Short mmCIF file of all heavy atoms in Angstrom, two decimals:
data_model
loop_
_atom_site.label_atom_id
_atom_site.label_comp_id
_atom_site.label_asym_id
_atom_site.label_seq_id
_atom_site.Cartn_x
_atom_site.Cartn_y
_atom_site.Cartn_z
N LEU A 1504 -88.02 131.89 274.45
CA LEU A 1504 -87.60 131.22 275.68
C LEU A 1504 -88.68 130.56 276.44
O LEU A 1504 -88.49 129.86 277.35
CB LEU A 1504 -86.96 132.28 276.60
CG LEU A 1504 -85.70 132.95 276.11
CD1 LEU A 1504 -85.32 134.15 276.94
CD2 LEU A 1504 -84.54 131.82 276.23
N MET A 1505 -89.99 130.72 275.97
CA MET A 1505 -91.08 130.17 276.71
C MET A 1505 -90.98 128.62 276.69
O MET A 1505 -90.77 128.09 275.63
CB MET A 1505 -92.41 130.66 276.02
CG MET A 1505 -93.66 130.28 276.83
SD MET A 1505 -93.68 131.24 278.52
CE MET A 1505 -93.74 132.82 277.92
N GLY A 1506 -91.14 127.97 277.78
CA GLY A 1506 -91.04 126.53 277.83
C GLY A 1506 -89.66 126.03 278.34
O GLY A 1506 -89.56 124.90 278.57
N CYS A 1507 -88.68 126.93 278.52
CA CYS A 1507 -87.46 126.58 279.03
C CYS A 1507 -87.53 126.09 280.50
O CYS A 1507 -88.21 126.70 281.27
CB CYS A 1507 -86.35 127.62 278.99
SG CYS A 1507 -85.78 127.98 277.28
N GLN A 1508 -86.92 125.02 280.84
CA GLN A 1508 -86.85 124.66 282.26
C GLN A 1508 -85.65 125.23 282.94
O GLN A 1508 -85.65 125.28 284.18
CB GLN A 1508 -86.81 123.04 282.42
CG GLN A 1508 -88.09 122.35 281.90
CD GLN A 1508 -88.00 121.87 280.42
OE1 GLN A 1508 -86.91 122.00 279.82
NE2 GLN A 1508 -89.07 121.31 279.97
N ALA A 1509 -84.54 125.60 282.26
CA ALA A 1509 -83.48 126.19 282.86
C ALA A 1509 -82.97 127.30 281.97
O ALA A 1509 -83.15 127.30 280.70
CB ALA A 1509 -82.38 125.16 282.99
N MET A 1510 -82.26 128.33 282.62
CA MET A 1510 -81.75 129.48 281.84
C MET A 1510 -80.42 129.89 282.39
O MET A 1510 -80.24 129.89 283.68
CB MET A 1510 -82.71 130.58 281.94
CG MET A 1510 -83.91 130.53 280.96
SD MET A 1510 -84.81 132.01 280.92
CE MET A 1510 -83.52 133.20 280.25
N LEU A 1511 -79.51 130.24 281.52
CA LEU A 1511 -78.36 131.05 281.81
C LEU A 1511 -78.67 132.46 281.48
O LEU A 1511 -78.82 132.80 280.34
CB LEU A 1511 -77.15 130.53 281.12
CG LEU A 1511 -75.68 131.01 281.51
CD1 LEU A 1511 -75.44 130.57 282.92
CD2 LEU A 1511 -74.74 130.68 280.48
N LEU A 1512 -78.95 133.25 282.50
CA LEU A 1512 -79.52 134.55 282.28
C LEU A 1512 -78.68 135.75 282.73
O LEU A 1512 -78.29 135.74 283.84
CB LEU A 1512 -80.86 134.63 283.06
CG LEU A 1512 -81.67 135.93 283.12
CD1 LEU A 1512 -82.02 136.38 281.69
CD2 LEU A 1512 -82.92 135.80 283.96
N GLU A 1513 -78.43 136.64 281.82
CA GLU A 1513 -77.60 137.84 282.16
C GLU A 1513 -78.25 138.67 283.32
O GLU A 1513 -79.39 139.07 283.24
CB GLU A 1513 -77.41 138.73 280.98
CG GLU A 1513 -76.59 139.86 281.32
CD GLU A 1513 -76.22 140.76 280.04
OE1 GLU A 1513 -77.03 141.16 279.30
OE2 GLU A 1513 -75.01 140.94 279.83
N CYS A 1514 -77.38 138.89 284.32
CA CYS A 1514 -77.62 139.87 285.36
C CYS A 1514 -76.50 140.74 285.44
O CYS A 1514 -75.64 140.60 286.38
CB CYS A 1514 -77.98 139.18 286.68
SG CYS A 1514 -79.48 138.14 286.72
N ASN A 1515 -76.26 141.72 284.50
CA ASN A 1515 -74.98 142.33 284.37
C ASN A 1515 -74.73 143.33 285.46
O ASN A 1515 -73.62 143.48 285.95
CB ASN A 1515 -74.96 143.00 283.03
CG ASN A 1515 -73.66 143.77 282.84
OD1 ASN A 1515 -73.64 144.99 282.88
ND2 ASN A 1515 -72.60 143.09 282.63
N HIS A 1516 -75.73 144.13 285.76
CA HIS A 1516 -75.36 145.27 286.76
C HIS A 1516 -76.58 145.70 287.60
O HIS A 1516 -77.70 145.40 287.21
CB HIS A 1516 -74.95 146.56 285.92
CG HIS A 1516 -75.94 147.04 284.92
ND1 HIS A 1516 -76.10 146.50 283.69
CD2 HIS A 1516 -76.96 148.03 285.09
CE1 HIS A 1516 -77.12 147.14 283.04
NE2 HIS A 1516 -77.60 148.07 283.81
N ASP A 1517 -76.19 146.28 288.69
CA ASP A 1517 -77.25 147.03 289.50
C ASP A 1517 -77.24 148.44 289.04
O ASP A 1517 -76.15 149.03 288.87
CB ASP A 1517 -76.84 146.78 290.96
CG ASP A 1517 -77.62 147.70 291.84
OD1 ASP A 1517 -78.67 147.17 292.30
OD2 ASP A 1517 -77.16 148.79 292.24
N THR A 1518 -78.41 148.94 288.80
CA THR A 1518 -78.57 150.41 288.22
C THR A 1518 -77.88 151.42 289.17
O THR A 1518 -77.21 152.32 288.70
CB THR A 1518 -80.00 150.74 287.93
OG1 THR A 1518 -80.75 150.47 289.14
CG2 THR A 1518 -80.55 149.79 286.79
N GLU A 1519 -78.01 151.26 290.56
CA GLU A 1519 -77.47 152.24 291.40
C GLU A 1519 -75.85 152.14 291.42
O GLU A 1519 -75.27 153.14 291.37
CB GLU A 1519 -77.98 152.03 292.80
CG GLU A 1519 -79.48 152.41 292.84
CD GLU A 1519 -79.99 152.26 294.29
OE1 GLU A 1519 -79.24 151.93 295.24
OE2 GLU A 1519 -81.25 152.53 294.52
N LEU A 1520 -75.40 150.87 291.37
CA LEU A 1520 -73.95 150.77 291.42
C LEU A 1520 -73.33 151.27 290.09
O LEU A 1520 -72.28 151.93 290.01
CB LEU A 1520 -73.55 149.32 291.55
CG LEU A 1520 -73.79 148.64 292.94
CD1 LEU A 1520 -73.31 147.28 292.99
CD2 LEU A 1520 -72.96 149.47 294.04
N LEU A 1521 -74.04 150.99 288.97
CA LEU A 1521 -73.54 151.56 287.65
C LEU A 1521 -73.54 153.07 287.65
O LEU A 1521 -72.58 153.65 287.30
CB LEU A 1521 -74.39 151.03 286.56
CG LEU A 1521 -74.11 151.52 285.11
CD1 LEU A 1521 -72.70 151.08 284.72
CD2 LEU A 1521 -75.20 151.03 284.17
N ALA A 1522 -74.67 153.60 288.17
CA ALA A 1522 -74.72 155.08 288.17
C ALA A 1522 -73.64 155.78 288.99
O ALA A 1522 -73.11 156.87 288.70
CB ALA A 1522 -76.04 155.55 288.70
N ALA A 1523 -73.17 155.03 290.09
CA ALA A 1523 -72.27 155.68 291.02
C ALA A 1523 -70.72 155.12 290.70
O ALA A 1523 -69.85 155.60 291.31
CB ALA A 1523 -72.55 155.21 292.42
N SER A 1524 -70.63 154.35 289.68
CA SER A 1524 -69.33 153.84 289.32
C SER A 1524 -68.44 154.84 288.72
O SER A 1524 -68.93 156.01 288.35
CB SER A 1524 -69.43 152.67 288.35
OG SER A 1524 -69.84 153.18 286.99
N ARG A 1525 -67.10 154.49 288.45
CA ARG A 1525 -66.16 155.40 287.79
C ARG A 1525 -66.22 155.26 286.33
O ARG A 1525 -65.40 155.90 285.69
CB ARG A 1525 -64.79 155.02 288.36
CG ARG A 1525 -64.61 155.23 289.86
CD ARG A 1525 -63.18 154.93 290.25
NE ARG A 1525 -62.98 155.20 291.72
CZ ARG A 1525 -61.83 155.03 292.31
NH1 ARG A 1525 -60.81 154.46 291.63
NH2 ARG A 1525 -61.71 155.20 293.58
N TYR A 1526 -67.12 154.54 285.82
CA TYR A 1526 -67.25 154.51 284.27
C TYR A 1526 -67.53 155.90 283.77
O TYR A 1526 -68.29 156.59 284.27
CB TYR A 1526 -68.48 153.55 283.97
CG TYR A 1526 -68.21 152.09 283.97
CD1 TYR A 1526 -67.12 151.56 284.59
CD2 TYR A 1526 -69.04 151.22 283.35
CE1 TYR A 1526 -66.85 150.13 284.56
CE2 TYR A 1526 -68.78 149.84 283.20
CZ TYR A 1526 -67.76 149.30 283.97
OH TYR A 1526 -67.51 148.03 283.93
N PRO A 1527 -66.88 156.14 282.62
CA PRO A 1527 -67.31 157.43 282.03
C PRO A 1527 -68.77 157.48 281.51
O PRO A 1527 -69.35 156.36 281.40
CB PRO A 1527 -66.33 157.58 280.75
CG PRO A 1527 -65.88 156.13 280.54
CD PRO A 1527 -65.97 155.42 281.89
N ALA A 1528 -69.33 158.68 281.34
CA ALA A 1528 -70.71 158.81 281.09
C ALA A 1528 -71.15 157.98 279.84
O ALA A 1528 -72.16 157.32 279.83
CB ALA A 1528 -70.98 160.24 280.91
N PHE A 1529 -70.24 158.01 278.78
CA PHE A 1529 -70.59 157.35 277.58
C PHE A 1529 -70.81 155.78 277.79
O PHE A 1529 -71.61 155.15 277.25
CB PHE A 1529 -69.61 157.60 276.48
CG PHE A 1529 -68.36 156.87 276.49
CD1 PHE A 1529 -68.32 155.63 275.87
CD2 PHE A 1529 -67.35 157.22 277.20
CE1 PHE A 1529 -67.11 154.83 275.96
CE2 PHE A 1529 -66.08 156.58 277.28
CZ PHE A 1529 -66.04 155.30 276.57
N LEU A 1530 -69.92 155.35 278.66
CA LEU A 1530 -69.90 153.85 278.97
C LEU A 1530 -71.11 153.52 279.79
O LEU A 1530 -71.71 152.43 279.61
CB LEU A 1530 -68.57 153.38 279.62
CG LEU A 1530 -68.42 151.89 279.74
CD1 LEU A 1530 -68.60 151.14 278.50
CD2 LEU A 1530 -67.06 151.65 280.38
N LYS A 1531 -71.38 154.28 280.75
CA LYS A 1531 -72.64 154.08 281.56
C LYS A 1531 -73.84 154.00 280.66
O LYS A 1531 -74.76 153.20 280.83
CB LYS A 1531 -72.81 155.23 282.62
CG LYS A 1531 -71.75 155.17 283.67
CD LYS A 1531 -72.06 156.32 284.76
CE LYS A 1531 -71.01 156.26 285.84
NZ LYS A 1531 -71.26 157.38 286.84
N GLN A 1532 -73.92 154.96 279.78
CA GLN A 1532 -75.11 155.05 278.80
C GLN A 1532 -75.10 153.78 277.94
O GLN A 1532 -76.17 153.23 277.63
CB GLN A 1532 -74.88 156.33 278.01
CG GLN A 1532 -76.14 156.53 277.06
CD GLN A 1532 -76.04 157.77 276.30
OE1 GLN A 1532 -75.08 158.45 276.24
NE2 GLN A 1532 -77.14 158.09 275.64
N ARG A 1533 -73.93 153.29 277.45
CA ARG A 1533 -73.96 152.10 276.56
C ARG A 1533 -74.38 150.88 277.34
O ARG A 1533 -75.23 150.13 277.02
CB ARG A 1533 -72.51 151.89 276.08
CG ARG A 1533 -72.34 150.51 275.36
CD ARG A 1533 -70.85 150.13 275.09
NE ARG A 1533 -70.88 148.80 274.52
CZ ARG A 1533 -70.72 147.76 275.15
NH1 ARG A 1533 -70.51 147.81 276.53
NH2 ARG A 1533 -70.65 146.61 274.60
N VAL A 1534 -73.71 150.66 278.54
CA VAL A 1534 -74.09 149.48 279.27
C VAL A 1534 -75.50 149.42 279.75
O VAL A 1534 -76.26 148.42 279.68
CB VAL A 1534 -73.21 149.37 280.62
CG1 VAL A 1534 -73.61 148.32 281.60
CG2 VAL A 1534 -71.68 149.16 280.25
N GLY A 1535 -76.06 150.62 280.14
CA GLY A 1535 -77.42 150.69 280.69
C GLY A 1535 -78.48 150.94 279.63
O GLY A 1535 -79.65 151.03 279.94
N GLY A 1536 -77.95 151.15 278.36
CA GLY A 1536 -78.90 151.44 277.25
C GLY A 1536 -79.78 150.26 276.72
O GLY A 1536 -79.53 149.08 277.15
N MET A 1537 -80.54 150.52 275.80
CA MET A 1537 -81.41 149.55 275.25
C MET A 1537 -80.69 148.36 274.39
O MET A 1537 -81.27 147.44 274.06
CB MET A 1537 -82.54 150.23 274.25
CG MET A 1537 -83.47 151.14 275.04
SD MET A 1537 -84.59 150.21 276.10
CE MET A 1537 -85.70 149.66 274.89
N TYR A 1538 -79.46 148.74 273.98
CA TYR A 1538 -78.68 147.81 273.30
C TYR A 1538 -77.37 147.41 274.05
O TYR A 1538 -76.46 146.95 273.43
CB TYR A 1538 -78.26 148.28 271.94
CG TYR A 1538 -79.45 148.51 271.04
CD1 TYR A 1538 -80.33 149.66 271.01
CD2 TYR A 1538 -79.92 147.45 270.15
CE1 TYR A 1538 -81.38 149.87 270.26
CE2 TYR A 1538 -80.96 147.60 269.38
CZ TYR A 1538 -81.78 148.76 269.35
OH TYR A 1538 -82.84 148.99 268.66
N GLY A 1539 -77.41 147.53 275.34
CA GLY A 1539 -76.25 147.23 276.16
C GLY A 1539 -76.43 145.86 276.87
O GLY A 1539 -76.41 144.81 276.30
N HIS A 1540 -76.57 146.00 278.22
CA HIS A 1540 -76.55 144.69 279.10
C HIS A 1540 -77.73 144.86 279.97
O HIS A 1540 -78.21 145.89 280.42
CB HIS A 1540 -75.32 144.60 279.79
CG HIS A 1540 -74.23 144.25 278.87
ND1 HIS A 1540 -73.80 142.95 278.48
CD2 HIS A 1540 -73.21 145.13 278.33
CE1 HIS A 1540 -72.79 143.02 277.77
NE2 HIS A 1540 -72.38 144.29 277.63
N LEU A 1541 -78.25 143.62 280.47
CA LEU A 1541 -79.38 143.62 281.37
C LEU A 1541 -79.05 144.05 282.72
O LEU A 1541 -78.10 143.41 283.39
CB LEU A 1541 -79.99 142.21 281.41
CG LEU A 1541 -80.80 141.72 280.09
CD1 LEU A 1541 -81.24 140.30 280.37
CD2 LEU A 1541 -81.90 142.54 279.79
N ALA A 1542 -79.75 144.87 283.34
CA ALA A 1542 -79.74 145.19 284.74
C ALA A 1542 -80.41 143.99 285.53
O ALA A 1542 -81.22 143.27 285.01
CB ALA A 1542 -80.42 146.53 285.11
N ASN A 1543 -80.13 143.94 286.83
CA ASN A 1543 -80.78 142.95 287.61
C ASN A 1543 -82.20 142.96 287.58
O ASN A 1543 -82.94 141.87 287.45
CB ASN A 1543 -80.28 143.09 289.16
CG ASN A 1543 -78.90 142.80 289.39
OD1 ASN A 1543 -78.30 142.14 288.54
ND2 ASN A 1543 -78.30 143.36 290.49
N GLN A 1544 -82.82 144.14 287.65
CA GLN A 1544 -84.29 144.23 287.59
C GLN A 1544 -84.86 143.78 286.27
O GLN A 1544 -85.93 143.15 286.24
CB GLN A 1544 -84.70 145.65 287.94
CG GLN A 1544 -86.25 145.80 288.13
CD GLN A 1544 -86.78 144.77 289.20
OE1 GLN A 1544 -86.20 144.65 290.25
NE2 GLN A 1544 -87.95 144.19 288.88
#
Side-chain angles (χ1 to χ4, degrees):
L1504 294 167
M1505 194 62 67
C1507 287
Q1508 294 94 7
M1510 284 189 63
L1511 190 69
L1512 175 61
E1513 178 172 57
C1514 294
N1515 178 258
H1516 60 276
D1517 173 84
T1518 53
E1519 293 184 2
L1520 288 180
L1521 177 63
S1524 76
R1525 296 182 179 179
Y1526 278 16
F1529 80 90
L1530 186 55
K1531 291 180 181 181
Q1532 186 175 7
R1533 173 191 172 267
V1534 170
M1537 295 290 280
Y1538 293 88
H1540 292 274
L1541 288 179
N1543 290 338
Q1544 188 55 44

